[in-house]
């Protein structure tokens, strides 16, 4: 991490009042800024105001105007002792303490105390921590002096440092407690004594704060509407009539790759999920650190045990097959009979008659020409398949065999049984079904991959999500660690607290994209880890040190060469060696994943972006604008995108169904001349996080708006994609599964209907309703597209009301079409999780009647003549 050290200067104080900002206006009032210790100090900056400095009126009553972004969600992101002040240009600054164990303080600035700019966390060395920071303006030097308290083993030490711009600081030097001005004041807010700073401001300034709060309250109320509120919201609504007029002569081109998928190894999506390998911890690389030491059973032997007698096992790392794969097991057999047993991922599912490839690396450490039997067995020792591996030599060698399962079971185990006495080292013990998706070696679980392919996604984003940037710089996903021979790949701790074998790596991702005819969208870290970083303790501000950034930039450039370069190039040759001499034809690369937009981010992102632009101008770089649809990262991310002319940015938001219903105009106002948008992560979240008809229809409604704005929004992917039952860190997901079943959700069918019915031009249309209340209008959403390949006209119609919408569709302006259209309807009760689309055909004409059932999504596909 590049440290921002504080540089020493002379400390010259200027006279200060306890009222920190003055206003000449006669209608001035007092503003008190403070934080409480509620919600573990996570509620951020609050305000109260007063006419007389006696009676304080809290705003909100505790509306949060600024929240701390330092460290991890849950454990950190705390604000202690905020200190607010206004500089000579009228800009407000707030500094605060983030915790009592890191030697940093936090800084942010805002013109209006509402829209705060990016935060920074200058290192306030040399103290152990940085508490109660304060600022005074030094008028002689025209700079600011910051002082703070550091408590170390009961000793209270005071320090000061100066800055002109809150970016560069002089080194800290010790001061005495008398040098502090102790500008904080205590006032009673709602009967509680709070400590903070008082400022004199124009009344209209406070009015602005009040308005911001009121706006938040009213929109939150709107956005929290769910179908449970319908009896009250729509008490008098009995029926709704609609007229939809499709104006075939007015159209605009829209993206032909709007619907794609977001793949991240979360919820056991890769190992134990989409990746076909059936052995858990095949490389003996699970480690306590995968789960931060919290699970003692999560070690090199996880999923392995010894059964029977005569054989004991130990772990070794003295002479590994490859330095990336350090650990291997050594079986010491005094009498043949004992077995090394793997339980798979909650059992190994087998299908009768199917062939499985067994492979393992073995070496006789002691003894000669050892033999082993490898069996797949049931819990009562039923043998479902068996092979022998003979004459194991004294050097590491890969041994392979094929086994046919004689039964279908969900939960077999694999046994490796030494047949000879001595010491046998084993590593990379693998059992792989031959029937993978498209029959690929080291491929994907066929049923799961097929359900994904059925969406007809036009792109695949990988490897995340937060997996892409990790939760500390050591945890950043490096694509080079995930290619080449499996035994040479570098496994790592998964940010979601388990293990990533890297068996499903960049080659497999690209191959999957090719197999399903989708554009690959790899996302690389922007040289910084997750905003939620827990490793290293300093949050995302700990980016890759600048002295190592050039190497990192080169890694990113090498990825393009690996994907697209000719076989004469260094990395292109590696791709060819892996079995793909032809280019993967990569067109896009994402740099960053919903990062905090800080100076540290900007410096590193810009380096990567400029290098990509210069060397590969044909590649579309996708930037990032934070994890929300608004707020500091969103604004600052967009500012950076505008400054650098980034061709596309990645937006993320997980919101309530109400948000999606009421924000269908979100992109209508976007400036068409600016960066295009990839909505990389979104989903409708209800309390309890189900994936049901209500969330699915909210997403379907919003997708009509994305189609309408398909000239700006180029791509969109629901997130996350996969979740294994019993191993789910995040809900809702699109597809749930266990070892033998795949369970698509209602939301999946919405994505699939959009994937199968996408178009590349948007046809203008007008929707008129018999009821013009906003709550009603927002719940009927329509989009009309045309697919140039088939020339079909496709209408998507969502009715999120609890009553049918009796619709007249006018097609007289669309040209000649076939009178029989295919209709697909997804409908049911709002909380239904098993609603499935039903298909029929209906007659259409220039003016025809169509009922949109209550709570439904209808797709009408009309053939042109
Ligand atoms: O989709 C799950 C997570 O949500 C992703 O990893 C992250 O980018 C987002 O916060």
């Amino acid at each position: 991490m590049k440290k921002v050290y504080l540089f020493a200067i002379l400390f010259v104080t200027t006279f200060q009042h306890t009222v920190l900002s003055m206003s000449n206006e006669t209608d001035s009032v007092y503003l008190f800024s403070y934080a409480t210790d509620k919600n573990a100090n996570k509620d951020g900056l609050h305000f109260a105001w007063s006419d007389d400095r006696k009676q304080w009126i809290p705003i909100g009553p505790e509306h949060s105007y600024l929240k701390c972004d330092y460290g991890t969600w849950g454990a950190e992101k705390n604000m202690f002792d905020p200190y607010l002040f206004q500089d000579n240009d009228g800009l407000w600054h707030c500094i605060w303490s983030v915790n009592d164990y890191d030697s940093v303080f936090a800084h942010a600035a805002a013109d209006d105390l509402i829209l705060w700019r990016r935060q920074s966390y200058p290192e306030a060395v040399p103290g152990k921590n940085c508490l109660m920071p304060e600022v005074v303006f030094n008028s002689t030097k025209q700079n600011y002096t910051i002082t703070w308290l550091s408590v170390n083993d009961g000793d209270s030490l005071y320090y000061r440092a100066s800055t002109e711009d809150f970016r560069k600081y002089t080194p800290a030097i010790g001061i005495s407690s008398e040098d502090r001005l102790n500008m904080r004041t205590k006032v009673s807010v709602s009967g509680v004594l709070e400590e903070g700073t008082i400022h004199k401001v124009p009344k209209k300034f406070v009015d602005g704060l009040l308005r911001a709060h009121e706006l938040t309250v009213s929109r939150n109320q709107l956005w929290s509407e769910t179908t449970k509120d319908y009896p009250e919201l729509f008490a008098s609504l009995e029926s709704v009539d609609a007229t939809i007029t499709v104006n075939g002569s007015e159209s605009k081109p829209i993206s032909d790759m709007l619907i794609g998928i977001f793949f991240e190894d979360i919820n056991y999506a890769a190992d134990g999920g989409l990746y076909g390998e059936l052995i858990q911890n095949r490389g003996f690389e699970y480690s306590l650190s995968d789960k931060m030491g919290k699970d003692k059973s999560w070690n090199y032997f996880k999923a392995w045990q010894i059964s029977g007698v005569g054989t004991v096992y130990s772990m070794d790392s003295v002479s590994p097959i490859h330095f990336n794969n350090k650990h291997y097991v050594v079986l010491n057999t005094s009498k043949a009979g004992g077995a090394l047993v793997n339980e798979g991922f909650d059992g190994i599912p087998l299908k009768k008659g199917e062939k499985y490839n067994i492979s393992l690396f073995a070496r006789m450490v002691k003894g000669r020409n050892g033999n082993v039997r490898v069996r797949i067995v049931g819990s009562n020792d039923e043998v479902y398949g068996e092979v022998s591996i003979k004459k194991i030599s004294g050097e590491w060698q890969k041994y392979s065999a094929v086994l046919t399962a004689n039964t279908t079971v969900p939960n077999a185990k694999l046994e490796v049984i030494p047949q000879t006495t001595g010491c046998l080292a084993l590593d990379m013990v693998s059992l792989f079904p031959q029937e993978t998706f498209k029959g690929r070696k080291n491929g994907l679980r066929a049923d799961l991959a097929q359900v994904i392919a059925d969406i007809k996604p036009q792109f695949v984003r990988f490897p995340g999500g937060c997996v892409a940037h990790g939760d500390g710089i050591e945890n950043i996903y490096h694509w080079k660690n995930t290619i080449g021979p499996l035994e040479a790949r570098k496994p790592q701790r998964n940010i979601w607290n388990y293990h990533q074998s890297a068996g499903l790596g960049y080659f497999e991702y690209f191959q999957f994209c090719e197999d399903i005819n989708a554009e690959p969208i790899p996302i690389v870290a922007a040289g910084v880890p997750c905003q939620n970083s827990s490793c290293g303790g300093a949050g995302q501000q700990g980016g890759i040190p600048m002295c190592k950034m050039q190497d990192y930039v080169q890694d990113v450039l090498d990825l393009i060469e690996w994907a697209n370069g000719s076989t004469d190039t260094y990395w292109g040759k590696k791709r060819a060696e892996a079995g793909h001499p032809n280019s993967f034809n990569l067109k896009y690369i994402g740099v960053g994943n919903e990062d905090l937009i800080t100076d540290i981010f900007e410096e590193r992102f810009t380096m990567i972006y400029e290098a990509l632009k210069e060397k590969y101008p044909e590649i579309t770089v996708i930037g990032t604008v934070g994890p929300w649809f608004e707020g500091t990262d969103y604004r600052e991310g967009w500012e950076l995108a505008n400054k650098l002319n980034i061709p596309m940015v990645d937006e993320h938001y997980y919101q309530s169904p109400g948000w999606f219903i009421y924000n269908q105009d979100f992109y209508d106002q976007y400036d068409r001349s600016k960066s295009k948008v990839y909505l990389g992560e979104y989903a409708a979240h209800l309390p309890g996080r189900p994936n049901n008809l209500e969330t699915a229809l909210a997403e379907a409604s919003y997708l009509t708006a994305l189609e309408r704005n398909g000239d700006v929004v180029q791509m969109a992917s629901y997130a996350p994609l996969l979740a294994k039952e019993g191993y789910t860190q995040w809900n809702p997901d699109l597809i749930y599964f266990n070892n033998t079943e795949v369970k698509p959700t209602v939301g999946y069918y919405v994505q699939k209907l959009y994937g199968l019915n996408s178009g590349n031009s948007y046809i203008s249309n007008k929707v008129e309703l018999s009821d013009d209340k906003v709550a009603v209008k927002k719940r009927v959403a329509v989009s009309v597209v045309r697919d140039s390949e088939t020339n079909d006209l496709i209408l998507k119609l969502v009715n999120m009301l609890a009553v049918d919408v009796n619709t007249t569709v006018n097609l007289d302006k669309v040209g000649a079409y076939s009178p029989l259209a295919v209709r697909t309807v997804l409908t049911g009760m709002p909380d239904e999780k098993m609603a499935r689309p039903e298909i029929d055909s209906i007659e259409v004409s220039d003016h025809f009647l169509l009922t949109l059932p209550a709570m439904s999504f209808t797709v009408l596909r009309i053939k042109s003549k």
Side-chain angles (χ1 to χ4, degrees):
M1 176 174 67
K2 179 165 183 198
K3 295 181 175 176
V4 183
Y5 287 104
L6 306 173
F7 298 94
I9 58 141
L10 279 175
F11 184 54
V12 184
T13 60
T14 52
F15 180 73
Q16 298 273 326
H17 293 281
T18 47
V19 174
L20 292 168
S21 313
M22 297 298 290
S23 162
N24 294 327
E25 296 191 26
T26 47
D27 63 344
S28 293
V29 293
Y30 298 97
L31 185 69
F32 177 64
S33 70
Y34 65 106
T36 71
D37 55 7
K38 290 184 190 155
N39 191 19
N41 295 84
K42 292 189 202 331
D43 288 350
L45 188 66
H46 305 307
F47 295 112
W49 70 278
S50 168
D51 280 330
D52 56 6
R53 296 193 67 184
K54 288 183 192 128
Q55 297 296 319
W56 290 94
I57 304 163
I59 304 181
E62 283 169 359
H63 181 84
S64 303
Y65 285 87
L66 166 67
K67 284 194 171 183
C68 177
D69 259 330
Y70 184 84
T72 54
W73 282 310
E76 299 194 73
K77 305 219 184 282
N78 304 320
M79 178 183 282
F80 298 91
D81 305 313
Y83 187 92
L84 188 74
F85 66 102
Q86 202 173 13
D87 71 17
N88 285 350
D89 298 326
L91 184 66
W92 292 93
H93 298 257
C94 185
I95 59 172
W96 66 96
S97 173
V98 296
N99 58 36
D100 61 1
Y101 43 85
D102 286 332
S103 183
V104 303
F105 64 90
H107 169 264
D111 292 303
D112 55 3
L113 296 179
I114 298 166
L115 301 178
W116 289 87
R117 301 180 189 172
R118 62 181 69 174
Q119 296 181 14
S120 63
Y121 313 99
E123 287 223 356
V125 287
K128 185 188 167 199
N129 46 35
C130 179
L131 311 175
M132 304 286 286
E134 280 189 2
V135 183
V136 289
F137 181 62
N138 178 337
S139 53
T140 319
K141 298 242 169 195
Q142 290 290 305
N143 66 7
Y144 298 89
T145 298
I146 296 151
T147 66
W148 67 93
L149 161 69
S150 180
V151 179
N152 196 356
D153 292 334
D155 291 338
S156 293
L157 303 168
Y158 294 90
Y159 295 95
R160 73 174 184 229
S162 297
T163 181
E164 285 172 10
D165 55 5
F166 292 91
R167 289 209 146 110
K168 289 200 181 109
Y169 296 82
T170 60
I173 57 166
I175 56 171
S176 86
S177 64
E178 284 84 57
D179 292 333
R180 293 257 292 174
L181 288 178
N182 296 322
M183 301 289 289
R184 290 181 175 84
T185 314
K186 284 192 175 153
V187 308
S188 173
V189 183
S190 308
V192 179
L193 215 52
E194 305 284 5
E195 192 170 33
T197 52
I198 297 178
H199 312 264
K200 202 166 182 188
V201 296
K203 173 73 173 59
K204 67 173 194 254
F205 197 80
V206 168
D207 292 342
L209 295 175
L210 287 164
R211 265 198 309 279
H213 161 66
E214 279 154 18
L215 188 69
T216 308
V217 171
S218 64
R219 65 181 211 175
N220 284 352
Q221 197 179 341
L222 205 59
W223 297 348
S224 67
E225 283 176 10
T226 69
T227 52
K228 291 206 167 36
D229 304 310
Y230 279 15
E232 200 183 322
L233 270 178
F234 302 115
S236 57
L237 189 71
E238 277 169 9
S239 70
V240 175
D241 296 333
T243 307
I244 298 171
T245 306
V246 182
N247 188 349
S249 57
E250 277 180 30
S251 68
K252 67 174 174 184
I254 57 168
S255 166
D256 60 357
M257 46 186 293
L258 191 60
I259 304 297
I261 56 163
F262 162 99
F263 180 87
E264 172 166 28
D265 186 3
I266 180 174
N267 309 320
Y268 274 49
D271 294 306
L274 187 59
Y275 183 46
E277 176 63 77
L278 295 170
I279 301 300
Q280 181 169 195
N281 191 13
R282 70 179 171 199
F284 304 94
E285 296 299 329
Y286 277 30
S287 121
L288 287 175
S289 62
D290 291 341
K291 285 183 178 284
M292 309 285 208
K294 285 182 191 146
D295 178 354
K296 298 294 172 227
S297 74
W298 193 274
N299 57 35
Y300 306 119
F301 291 121
K302 175 73 185 170
W304 293 99
Q305 62 175 40
I306 290 284
S307 77
V309 289
T311 292
V312 291
Y313 68 170
S314 59
M315 188 52 54
D316 209 343
S317 59
V318 176
S319 182
I321 318 171
H322 192 276
F323 54 82
N324 279 343
N325 176 15
K326 291 200 190 72
H327 301 97
Y328 53 93
V329 69
V330 178
L331 301 182
N332 193 337
T333 303
S334 53
K335 183 167 176 280
L340 175 71
V341 186
N342 188 276
E343 65 189 34
F345 293 91
D346 277 348
I348 297 172
L350 295 177
K351 280 197 195 136
K352 186 173 176 179
E354 276 196 15
K355 291 193 165 59
Y356 295 82
N357 293 335
I358 283 184
S359 66
L360 50 83
F361 278 77
R363 170 168 73 91
M364 286 307 291
V365 181
K366 214 192 291 166
R368 294 181 55 209
N369 289 339
N371 300 333
V372 294
R373 265 167 67 209
V374 182
R375 314 194 303 177
I376 311 185
V377 297
S379 47
N380 295 320
D381 258 0
E382 314 90 314
V383 178
Y384 302 135
E386 168 168 31
V387 291
S388 285
I389 292 174
K390 298 211 163 106
K391 295 203 174 149
I392 293 169
S393 79
E395 299 300 325
W396 279 119
Q397 223 179 292
K398 184 172 177 180
Y399 298 87
S400 306
V402 176
L403 172 156
T404 304
N406 62 20
T407 192
T408 297
V409 282
N411 56 353
K413 291 178 289 182
L414 176 115
E415 290 185 347
V416 184
I417 311 168
Q419 301 295 294
T420 29
T421 57
C423 281
L424 171 70
L426 291 173
D427 204 352
M428 297 300 286
V429 182
S430 167
L431 180 73
F432 227 97
Q434 285 193 349
E435 285 191 25
T436 57
F437 185 63
K438 306 269 180 200
R440 295 287 182 198
K441 287 246 155 51
N442 194 46
L444 307 182
R445 181 174 148 180
D447 55 351
L448 206 43
Q450 187 58 54
V451 169
I452 296 170
D454 290 346
I455 297 175
K456 282 231 174 167
Q458 287 130 349
F459 66 89
V460 180
R461 174 200 181 117
F462 57 88
C466 289
V467 158
H469 56 190
D471 60 358
I473 52 175
E474 295 308 321
N475 193 235
I476 286 176
Y477 192 101
H478 293 281
W479 71 272
K480 286 181 183 171
N481 291 341
T482 74
I483 58 163
L486 295 177
E487 64 278 13
R489 296 188 187 181
K490 196 171 176 183
Q492 82 178 95
R493 182 177 73 81
N494 180 303
I495 189 174
W496 298 102
N497 280 314
Y498 55 95
H499 186 86
Q500 258 168 288
S501 73
L504 173 53
Y506 259 54
F507 184 83
E508 291 73 27
Y509 285 129
F510 273 79
Q511 187 151 72
F512 181 50
C513 292
E514 197 167 82
D515 283 344
I516 62 173
N517 199 20
E519 294 291 345
I521 315 280
I523 307 290
V524 296
V528 292
C530 187
Q531 48 172 299
N532 193 29
S533 287
S534 54
C535 293
Q540 197 226 29
Q541 59 273 27
I544 293 177
M546 286 310 284
C547 59
K548 293 194 177 159
M549 267 307 288
Q550 209 48 60
D551 290 348
Y552 183 73
V553 171
Q554 191 55 50
D555 280 353
V556 176
L557 296 175
D558 290 344
L559 171 58
I560 318 283
E561 182 176 299
W562 176 82
N564 291 355
S566 83
T567 52
D568 298 337
T569 62
Y570 180 84
W571 288 103
K573 188 160 172 250
K574 290 216 179 284
R575 183 194 66 240
E577 283 163 4
H580 202 284
N582 291 337
S583 156
F584 276 122
N585 198 14
L586 177 67
K587 300 191 188 96
Y588 300 84
I589 185 168
V591 179
N593 174 64
E594 60 173 44
D595 299 298
L596 270 188
I597 310 296
T598 57
D599 291 352
I600 288 174
F601 167 86
E602 180 168 341
E603 197 177 14
R604 285 157 183 77
F605 176 89
T606 307
M607 255 181 102
I608 302 167
Y609 174 65
E610 297 295 355
L612 279 167
K613 208 169 68 167
E614 191 183 327
K615 184 142 191 214
Y616 296 108
E618 72 282 12
I619 298 285
T620 301
V621 178
I622 307 169
T624 180
V625 296
W628 319 111
F629 64 92
E630 63 177 2
T632 305
D633 299 320
Y634 175 81
R635 285 194 312 277
E636 297 263 347
W638 266 103
E639 263 173 38
L640 183 62
N642 294 340
K643 178 169 133 189
L644 298 178
N645 276 324
I646 303 172
M648 200 182 290
V649 296
D650 179 16
E651 295 188 349
H652 293 182
Y653 36 85
Y654 298 92
Q655 293 295 326
S656 60
W659 187 94
F660 286 100
I661 289 169
Y662 285 105
N663 281 283
Q664 289 173 52
D665 56 355
F666 191 75
Y667 294 107
D668 292 352
Q669 310 309 326
Y670 266 45
D671 184 339
R672 269 49 192 169
S673 67
K674 300 266 168 70
S675 313
K676 302 290 181 206
V677 173
Y678 165 32
L679 176 53
E681 295 184 28
Y682 72 96
H685 286 181
L686 271 172
R689 303 275 200 105
N691 187 324
N692 62 19
L693 188 71
E694 181 170 356
T695 56
L697 292 185
E699 289 146 10
S701 300
Y702 200 67
L703 280 160
T704 63
L706 296 189
E707 286 196 331
R708 183 174 68 247
N709 286 286
D711 50 337
V712 170
V713 184
Q714 301 290 288
M715 303 188 278
S717 43
Y718 179 102
L721 179 70
L722 296 179
K724 187 165 192 171
E725 288 176 338
Y727 297 91
T728 299
Q729 291 92 33
W730 181 290
N731 281 304
D733 303 282
L734 207 60
I735 303 166
Y736 290 82
F737 64 93
N738 56 37
N739 278 350
T740 53
E741 296 162 295
V742 179
K743 303 178 178 180
T745 57
V746 197
Y748 166 87
Y749 288 99
V750 165
Q751 297 293 324
K752 186 171 165 185
L753 284 171
Y754 271 90
L756 296 179
N757 293 290
S758 58
N760 47 11
S761 61
Y762 187 81
I763 312 295
S764 153
N765 59 82
K766 191 167 166 201
V767 182
E768 289 158 295
L769 292 185
S770 56
D771 189 316
D772 65 356
K773 281 189 216 66
V774 176
V776 172
K777 278 173 37 185
K778 289 284 183 185
R779 283 174 170 84
V780 179
V782 175
S783 83
V784 183
V785 298
R786 197 182 281 284
D787 164 35
S788 65
E789 209 170 292
T790 57
N791 211 22
D792 288 358
L793 188 73
I794 303 155
L795 278 70
K796 303 194 181 77
L797 313 110
V798 183
N799 173 15
M800 281 202 77
L801 295 167
V803 296
D804 292 355
V805 174
N806 307 310
T807 309
T808 305
V809 183
N810 295 328
L811 291 181
D812 49 346
K813 294 195 194 125
V814 299
Y817 53 85
S818 153
L820 212 55
V822 179
R823 172 173 66 174
T824 311
V825 182
L826 178 66
T827 186
M829 296 305 287
D831 58 357
E832 207 165 315
K833 292 185 173 165
M834 295 308 291
R836 297 292 178 257
E838 289 186 4
I839 304 179
D840 64 359
S841 47
I842 60 163
E843 281 186 14
V844 296
S845 59
D846 278 2
H847 307 281
F848 66 99
L849 297 180
L850 178 71
T851 301
L852 308 181
M855 294 298 289
S856 67
F857 174 36
T858 302
V859 179
L860 204 56
R861 193 160 185 128
I862 302 171
K863 290 235 155 297
S864 292
K865 262 196 182 153

